[in-house]
Amino acid sequence: MNLRPALPSLSRFPESFPATWRDGLNTELAPDAVVVAWLEVDLDERLNFSRTCIVLCERELLARRADSAQWEHWPLHDELRLGHFDHAGIGTLELYDLQQRLARWRYTLEQNLAAQRLIKLFESQRLAIATGAPAPIDNNDVCPNCKAPLPPDEDECPICTRVEQTPPSTWTLLRLWRFAKPYQGQLLAGFLLMLGSTAATLVPPYLTIPLMDDILIPFHAGQHIDPAMVGLYLAGLFGAALLSWGLGWAKTYILALASERIAADLRTTTFEHLLQLSLEYFGGKRTGDLMARIGSETDRISVFLSLHLLDFATDVLMIGMTAVILFSINPSLALVTLLPLPLIAWLIHLVRDRLRTGFEKIDRVWGQVTNVLADTIPGIRVVKAFAQESREAKRFRDANQHNLEINDKLNRTWSLFTPTVSLLTEIGLLVVWGFGIWLVSKSQITVGVLTAFLAYIGRFYARLDSMSRIVSVTQKAAAGAKRIFDILDHVSTVPEPTRPIHLENVTGAVELREVGFRYGSRSVIRDLSLQIRPGEMIGLVGHSGSGKSTLVNLICRFYDVTDGSIRIDGVDLRSIPVAEYRRHIGLVLQEPFLFFGSVAENIAYGKPEATREEIVAAARAAHAHEFILRLPQGYDSLVGERGQGLSGGERQRVSIARALLIDPRLLILDEATSAVDTETEKEIQRALDNLVAGRTTIAIAHRLSTLRKADRLVVMDRGLIVEVGGHDDLMAREGHYYRLYQAQQRHAEELLLEGGAL
Amino acid sequence: MSDFTLSRNSFGRLVLITNDGQQHEGVVAVRAFPIAAPDEGVSLVSTDGHELAWIARLSELPDNEQTLVQDELAQREFVPEVKQLVAVSAFATPSQWRVNTDRGATEFTLRGEEDIRRIGQGELLITDSHGMNYRIPDLFTLDAHSRRLLDRFL
Ligand SMILES: Nc1ncnc2c1ncn2[C@@H]1O[C@H](COP(=O)(O)OP(=O)(O)O)[C@@H](O)[C@H]1O
Ligand SMILES: [Mg+2]
């Protein structure tokens, strides 16, 4: 008998704590101890896949490897530290005190969030012990779904979104109903028409019975043919053909219209949703992939709905109706006729399945061929400059050769397919012939009935091939639908406020309060506070990678802060409608992007209703007016891809004009002059001086000299603000800024010297 | 003789002392060509990302330092070798793969076929949804079942 001691209150374990670790741990913990946090790491010290459980209680940290029975204990004390870092997909958690490292655990990044949470709770427990004050209650949100900790300020669970990455299921197609619903009337009408037209196609074989039994056979028996009867039957045949033609046309037309509209709605909805998503989403996706999803996947779904699904439904209806008719004429012959059907269907499916994997392979190989093209054509200048044409040609030839081989292999099976289907059909007919003749010889059925049967099954055996296709096209369409719903289901990480605050007049005071930000698990900005007065110009400097652009992205709200808050005129950015907020921002980037269209349209991009006078005034202020006039069609010249080529400096000035035209309260220049030569820079600088006047400006510049007009310089290093002040002030301090400046001066002098030596 | 000495401190960190007496703690060893030539070109990098020393060939180092560097590399390198594909959840991606590797059995999610990279004759590198890499040294030495599964993705 197993007399267990009364269980210590069950609540000492969090609900999600795995049972495998629970049993041994119960006896290991002090009677009143409660598990505060736990982590199951999936690698061992030598990086083999093996689990280890780490448990944090109020007074100690415990760990046990899956292959050991022993729990290790580390009592918490003031000098105990838990740290983590990650590299190349593995995280490391280290426990150490002031003298040495006590333990180390490894995990794949899947567990990173849980690890960070463990560290956070460890810190608060440790502080509680050190200070004697109780640890703050952990109010970190957990995913309602899987109970895993959520990343701060995000309501999307990283684990559940991963689960959502399940392979496409055919049921996804049902979700298309949301888009089909507005067209349900048309769809119903189409279905009824389909019913009618299918029924009409089944009339002619039926008429072969009287044609045979009442006219042809009696004729052989010596009776004469009654032309009136023949005329009647022929008219029946013609009428049925005509009816099925008309109904078929109406059905196809109505359903094609509806499905095309469904696909169009799907396309627009997806694109509109996509535009609302945050930059983070775009950062993780390839342009080609997104384009394919919105373009060809919706098209594939439309073809599926209007063609394959329609055909399939027709075929099923036909087979159903035929079966009913056959059984009503003669059940035993009907049974024999229909028996080989499942077998034939299964055989066809088998061959198809092999073909399908082959076709998928071809799809992928085809992708490789196009990839070579996509690589080479945009990079043609590099290819030619390094005289590598023959290498690229070889790459293409190789890809093509691969394509050829795969195709050859598939064609062996493919060429077998159609003959095989015919063979199976013939065999099916053979069975019916044999059994039918036997029945006729027993006078069980008439010759007319046998002919009718042959006519009926000839029809639907032929349809079996197209029916077998439904499996693969459905799978493909389901995959397409899933890829689209992936976009539609994605919630923007920069959400619209639920209770928006509208800003009437923006003065442009920006306040950053203890801002922290991570890209995924990587911390890029830490504890950053800064107040910017209305109309002030801030120069943001620091080494490349110190987080300047990231800070600007946060201020533009391309991303939301992970900790702290950003306020404009005292209002948190997250409570202002996104589009409304962005209207107050003028952004000039290092790589100006011009859309395909005229120069004027590009300048007026942010304010399409701008008058021509306004556009010209903005261009003048941006020092773009004169070069625009030199273009062959002036302001109407086409720019952007395929259009009139503009130089880097010219593009930049167009983008400055664009920012000027919307008259923003907050102006952001991210390395706006870094990509151009010194001459052009001067020109742009003059344009910028116009832009800056009277606005809150945040300017990032690689060349420190460009920032001479800044009221304050903010020096960043590894995500922190290290210095703030005017140029002279910072030079006097001989700190970070001083060193940056000195380095640039030296560099400039070296350039001068080299120039002199030439 | 090399112009530095390496040792490991009680925190488990690699310490590099240059001949002019400068001491760097927490030195990280990085292979320059982890795939193409893993044994050539190992760089010792300081915590702030500056190169401190370049080892053209690991065999040039004294034995004990060689072990230290090898250990350090082994700690950072994690490219399990797939020995067998046990099952895949679907032939359409994303697909959940169950595999046996030289480091034990595990599961991962393949996000798309393009995450399988051919690096040489029969050699494949698979990147999972977390950016972790798995290697198949020779496709043709896998068992028939694994090869059949894999073939659907190639
Ligand atoms: N989309 C991104 N995902 C992950 N890391 C990023 C991303 N963008 C930038 N980073 C990283 O954040 C750090 C700061 O980048 P950034 O703000 O662009 O620097 P700066 O503009 O000061 O040169 C860099 O280390 C960079 O690698
Ligand atoms: Mg930048």
Side-chain angles (χ1 to χ4, degrees):
Chain A
M1 225 174 89
N2 185 9
L3 269 181
R4 297 189 94 179
L7 277 176
S9 78
L10 268 177
S11 61
R12 69 190 296 172
F13 295 114
E15 216 176 289
S16 51
F17 192 78
T20 40
W21 304 104
R22 222 174 259 219
D23 295 339
L25 193 56
N26 246 330
T27 52
E28 201 74 22
L29 292 177
D32 60 337
V34 172
V35 173
V36 176
W38 60 276
L39 169 69
E40 199 180 28
V41 295
D42 53 359
L43 295 173
D44 68 8
E45 177 78 0
R46 307 299 320 170
L47 296 180
N48 291 314
F49 291 103
S50 152
R51 304 212 158 244
T52 300
C53 187
I54 308 170
V55 174
L56 174 72
C57 298
E58 297 107 317
R59 316 230 125 246
E60 60 177 351
L61 190 75
L62 301 92
R64 175 167 83 83
R65 293 215 313 266
D67 55 3
S68 138
Q70 205 63 43
W71 282 92
E72 286 181 273
H73 295 251
W74 294 273
L76 301 191
H77 59 82
D78 195 21
E79 287 165 0
L80 206 60
R81 296 284 186 278
L82 193 61
H84 90 111
F85 58 91
D86 61 73
H87 171 79
I90 14 172
T92 305
L93 203 58
E94 288 186 320
L95 181 73
Y96 50 92
D97 60 17
L98 294 186
Q99 283 79 45
Q100 59 189 330
R101 183 169 70 199
L102 302 168
R104 176 165 62 160
W105 299 285
R106 324 292 301 261
Y107 51 89
T108 58
L109 280 188
E110 218 166 307
Q111 281 136 330
N112 205 24
L113 274 173
Q116 281 173 7
R117 191 176 121 94
L118 181 78
I119 293 178
K120 195 175 135 207
L121 293 173
F122 174 89
E123 273 309 301
S124 59
Q125 289 299 340
R126 187 183 64 81
L127 281 177
I129 285 182
T131 59
I137 294 161
D138 169 38
N139 55 3
N140 203 344
D141 293 330
V142 292
C143 170
N145 220 350
C146 64
K147 304 280 185 291
L150 286 178
D153 290 338
E154 220 166 283
D155 42 29
E156 215 187 323
C157 172
I159 296 172
C160 290
T161 30
R162 204 186 62 240
V163 175
E164 212 183 87
Q165 273 201 353
T166 42
S169 131
T170 317
W171 298 117
T172 322
L173 282 171
L174 289 183
R175 299 186 58 194
L176 287 174
W177 178 243
R178 178 179 140 199
F179 293 92
K181 211 162 167 227
Y183 304 99
Q184 48 187 335
Q186 267 148 293
L187 290 174
L188 184 70
F191 182 74
L192 293 177
L193 285 169
M194 187 195 297
L195 220 58
S197 78
T198 311
T201 55
L202 293 177
V203 170
Y206 199 84
L207 287 180
T208 52
I209 303 180
L211 271 174
M212 276 282 164
D213 292 347
D214 300 347
I215 295 178
L216 289 177
I217 309 254
F219 171 71
H220 270 275
Q223 295 181 19
H224 84 283
I225 291 176
D226 177 3
M229 282 287 270
V230 174
L232 193 67
Y233 286 133
L234 289 186
L237 282 177
F238 184 64
L242 216 57
L243 189 66
S244 113
W245 173 79
L247 291 178
W249 169 77
K251 160 204 89 171
T252 312
Y253 182 62
I254 287 186
L255 288 180
L257 279 188
S259 70
E260 207 52 70
R261 272 166 187 66
I262 293 173
D265 288 354
L266 192 63
R267 209 157 18 223
T268 349
T269 313
T270 316
F271 185 59
E272 279 166 10
H273 186 81
L274 185 70
L275 287 179
Q276 300 300 323
L277 292 177
S278 72
L279 276 191
E280 188 173 357
Y281 185 79
F282 290 90
K285 293 277 183 288
R286 286 179 320 199
T287 318
D289 177 52
L290 288 178
M291 279 164 59
R293 286 192 198 198
I294 294 177
S296 44
E297 300 287 357
T298 49
D299 197 51
R300 184 178 280 180
I301 290 174
S302 154
V303 169
F304 170 74
L305 291 177
S306 67
L307 216 68
H308 301 293
L309 195 61
L310 205 62
D311 277 356
F312 185 70
T314 315
D315 292 344
V316 169
L317 272 178
M318 196 173 86
I319 291 190
M321 289 183 186
T322 314
V324 170
I325 295 173
L326 293 185
F327 272 100
S328 70
I329 304 177
N330 184 311
S332 62
L333 185 56
L335 206 63
V336 172
T337 313
L338 296 179
L339 261 185
L341 201 70
L343 181 75
I344 296 177
W346 178 70
L347 282 175
I348 292 181
H349 179 66
L350 217 65
V351 185
R352 273 244 157 247
D353 215 38
R354 298 197 51 177
L355 281 178
R356 180 164 55 94
T357 56
F359 281 127
E360 280 170 10
K361 227 177 210 178
I362 288 183
D363 269 358
R364 282 196 292 270
V365 176
W366 191 238
Q368 285 173 17
V369 175
T370 24
N371 269 345
V372 178
L373 292 178
D375 273 4
T376 313
I377 296 175
I380 192 68
R381 276 177 64 169
V382 182
V383 175
K384 286 192 177 296
F386 287 89
Q388 294 296 318
E389 290 94 338
S390 56
R391 172 156 115 194
E392 296 301 325
K394 179 174 180 320
R395 225 156 61 94
F396 189 72
R397 209 178 311 122
D398 287 349
N400 230 346
Q401 184 63 32
H402 193 182
N403 181 24
L404 213 58
E405 280 160 19
I406 303 268
N407 265 299
D408 285 352
K409 215 161 126 189
L410 183 74
N411 282 337
R412 225 168 294 150
T413 326
W414 173 235
S415 48
L416 259 177
F417 184 66
T418 320
T420 312
V421 172
S422 322
L423 182 68
L424 290 174
T425 315
E426 293 303 328
I427 293 175
L429 284 173
L430 212 68
V431 172
V432 177
W433 269 113
F435 191 66
I437 290 173
W438 183 73
L439 283 180
V440 171
S441 73
K442 297 269 177 224
S443 298
Q444 300 246 343
I445 56 167
T446 61
V447 176
V449 170
L450 178 59
T451 351
F453 265 74
L454 288 169
Y456 274 122
I457 62 160
R459 274 174 195 232
F460 72 60
Y461 278 175
R463 301 302 303 163
L464 279 181
D465 167 32
S466 85
M467 279 182 78
S468 70
R469 208 169 298 169
I470 191 73
V471 178
S472 69
V473 292
T474 309
Q475 278 167 353
K476 271 193 193 147
K482 180 187 169 286
R483 279 152 62 77
I484 285 171
F485 282 111
D486 271 355
I487 299 181
L488 285 175
D489 290 343
H490 200 96
V491 190
S492 175
T493 45
V494 180
E496 288 289 340
T498 37
R499 257 165 298 151
I501 300 176
H502 300 278
L503 289 181
E504 296 303 325
N505 285 310
V506 177
T507 61
V510 181
E511 186 190 357
L512 298 120
R513 276 194 202 165
E514 293 168 17
V515 169
F517 181 72
R518 281 184 224 125
Y519 285 112
S521 61
R522 183 159 159 224
S523 178
V524 177
I525 296 221
R526 267 160 296 180
D527 199 19
L528 188 149
S529 297
L530 183 68
Q531 296 229 12
I532 305 173
R533 292 186 302 275
E536 188 178 346
M537 178 176 177
I538 296 284
L540 211 51
V541 300
H543 290 292
S544 159
S546 55
K548 305 180 296 290
S549 299
T550 308
L551 188 64
V552 158
N553 284 342
L554 292 178
I555 294 178
C556 293
R557 205 167 172 231
F558 290 144
Y559 297 86
D560 265 344
V561 295
T562 342
D563 302 309
S565 67
I566 301 182
R567 285 154 194 271
I568 181 150
D569 290 1
V571 181
D572 194 306
L573 294 192
R574 284 167 291 195
S575 47
I576 309 172
V578 183
E580 197 177 310
Y581 171 61
R582 299 239 176 90
R583 261 208 302 281
H584 298 295
I585 301 181
L587 184 62
V588 182
L589 298 171
Q590 178 170 358
E591 284 290 324
F593 187 84
L594 301 188
F595 294 94
F596 180 73
S598 71
V599 176
E601 281 163 357
N602 264 291
I603 294 178
Y605 185 75
K607 190 183 175 189
E609 73 281 4
T611 62
R612 295 210 177 80
E613 287 71 35
E614 284 177 307
I615 292 176
V616 173
R620 276 222 174 84
H623 288 251
H625 183 62
E626 286 170 6
F627 92 75
I628 294 174
L629 291 183
R630 282 197 294 272
L631 296 175
Q633 275 121 17
Y635 280 86
D636 289 329
S637 313
L638 291 183
V639 291
E641 208 190 355
R642 288 183 300 146
Q644 168 87 37
L646 295 184
S647 77
E650 289 165 344
R651 282 164 176 269
Q652 192 57 281
R653 277 175 280 166
V654 171
S655 84
I656 292 173
R658 177 152 72 194
L660 260 175
L661 189 65
I662 60 169
D663 192 20
R665 296 319 308 153
L666 189 58
L667 179 67
I668 293 173
L669 309 168
D670 190 347
E671 313 236 355
T673 56
S674 296
V676 295
D677 56 88
T678 338
E679 259 327 289
T680 325
E681 184 186 353
K682 285 212 183 93
E683 188 99 4
I684 294 177
Q685 200 60 46
R686 276 201 292 280
L688 284 177
D689 290 346
N690 282 334
L691 192 50
V692 165
R695 299 170 217 278
T696 309
T697 306
I698 300 172
I700 301 177
H702 181 62
R703 285 181 211 128
L704 299 179
S705 52
T706 354
L707 296 175
R708 66 198 139 75
K709 291 221 164 142
D711 299 307
R712 275 191 299 166
L713 292 166
V714 172
V715 188
M716 289 188 64
D717 187 40
R718 291 193 228 167
L720 295 169
I721 292 186
V722 286
E723 281 172 348
V724 182
H727 172 81
D728 300 333
D729 175 24
L730 291 179
M731 287 302 284
R733 266 195 246 174
E734 304 207 349
H736 280 84
Y737 182 78
Y738 177 79
R739 285 196 293 278
L740 273 174
Y741 192 83
Q742 292 284 325
Q744 279 197 5
Q745 286 304 98
R746 262 201 307 281
H747 184 63
E749 275 163 25
E750 274 164 27
L751 281 183
L752 269 182
L753 276 181
E754 273 171 32
L758 277 177
Chain B
M1 242 336 270
S2 59
D3 43 6
F4 58 86
T5 54
L6 275 176
S7 56
R8 193 181 287 284
N9 70 8
S10 62
F11 288 95
R13 305 253 188 278
L14 220 50
V15 179
L16 181 142
I17 303 175
T18 51
N19 278 354
D20 55 7
Q22 275 187 354
Q23 180 169 337
H24 301 271
E25 203 192 306
V27 173
V28 173
V30 185
R31 286 192 213 274
F33 304 98
I35 296 170
D39 293 328
E40 282 169 39
V42 174
S43 179
L44 298 178
V45 179
S46 71
T47 35
D48 53 1
H50 292 295
E51 177 169 77
L52 300 170
W54 172 258
I55 306 166
R57 274 173 191 290
L58 272 182
S59 51
E60 288 169 3
L61 288 182
D63 280 350
N64 64 327
E65 296 192 347
Q66 206 172 317
T67 338
L68 280 177
V69 174
Q70 294 278 21
D71 277 354
E72 188 65 23
L73 286 170
Q75 286 308 324
R76 298 169 57 83
E77 284 174 346
F78 187 60
V79 186
E81 239 172 58
V82 176
K83 298 284 184 208
Q84 190 188 19
L85 266 76
V86 181
V88 300
S89 66
F91 293 116
T93 51
S95 161
Q96 193 82 26
W97 286 30
R98 256 196 306 136
V99 296
N100 288 329
T101 71
D102 58 340
R103 295 175 186 266
T106 186
E107 263 186 36
F108 64 83
T109 308
L110 179 77
R111 216 181 298 157
E113 281 105 6
E114 64 278 4
D115 288 337
I116 304 180
R117 202 176 123 198
R118 285 171 184 276
I119 39 185
Q121 230 358 297
E123 190 174 355
L124 300 176
L125 198 68
I126 304 171
T127 309
D128 79 356
S129 55
H130 288 277
M132 221 168 74
N133 289 322
Y134 295 82
R135 206 166 74 94
I136 297 182
D138 189 357
L139 168 64
F140 303 103
T141 56
L142 290 180
D143 60 279
H145 173 69
S146 306
R147 263 212 321 267
R148 199 165 40 243
L149 289 183
L150 192 61
D151 191 51
R152 297 287 295 268
F153 294 88
L154 295 178

